[in-house]
Amino acid sequence: AAASPAAKAARLPLRTPVVLGEEPVSELPQHLPGVVPESLVVALPPAGLPSLGAAGHDSGQCKPCAFLYTKGCDSGALCAFCHLCEVGEKKRRRREKLKMRKATA
């Protein structure tokens, strides 16, 4: 059986946290209140964005999540790839990139 996050945290060196999101208090080691293991510190996406990678979507600087519309993204809001891009965007960008390479060759 997999160890719980609290059990894993108990084996890791502890640091003073810089928490960017809310942490479930039940998963923190009870013997050290106020100290969060680095492995439990999570950066959440800005309000209104479905994933961390969606931050550059409006400017076109994002990278589409390849799994969102296929098997589903396991990373959810913590995904480094954009969850705002539409179905087929990854393939469209790849084709466009190949077309540009052929045009300059």
Side-chain angles (χ1 to χ4, degrees):
S4 71
K8 288 179 184 176
R11 294 190 304 259
L12 298 172
L14 299 175
R15 295 184 179 198
T16 305
V18 177
V19 179
L20 300 176
E22 294 181 25
E23 281 298 321
V25 177
S26 62
E27 293 188 9
L28 300 178
Q30 299 301 316
H31 61 282
L32 295 170
V35 178
V36 179
E38 191 172 338
S39 64
L40 293 179
V41 176
V42 176
L44 297 176
L49 294 180
S51 65
L52 288 171
H57 182 78
D58 290 337
S59 63
Q61 299 298 313
C62 65
K63 293 182 178 182
C65 180
F67 303 109
L68 183 64
Y69 297 110
T70 56
K71 68 172 189 149
C73 181
D74 291 337
S75 300
L78 302 179
C79 184
F81 298 93
C82 186
H83 286 189
L84 289 174
C85 289
E86 297 193 14
V87 177
E89 181 66 14
K90 183 169 176 60
K91 187 179 275 190
R92 187 194 67 76
R93 288 185 186 186
R94 186 176 14 165
R95 286 180 181 160
E96 187 176 298
K97 187 176 178 180
L98 288 172
K99 196 178 208 181
M100 292 298 285
R101 282 186 186 166
K102 286 181 181 180
T104 59

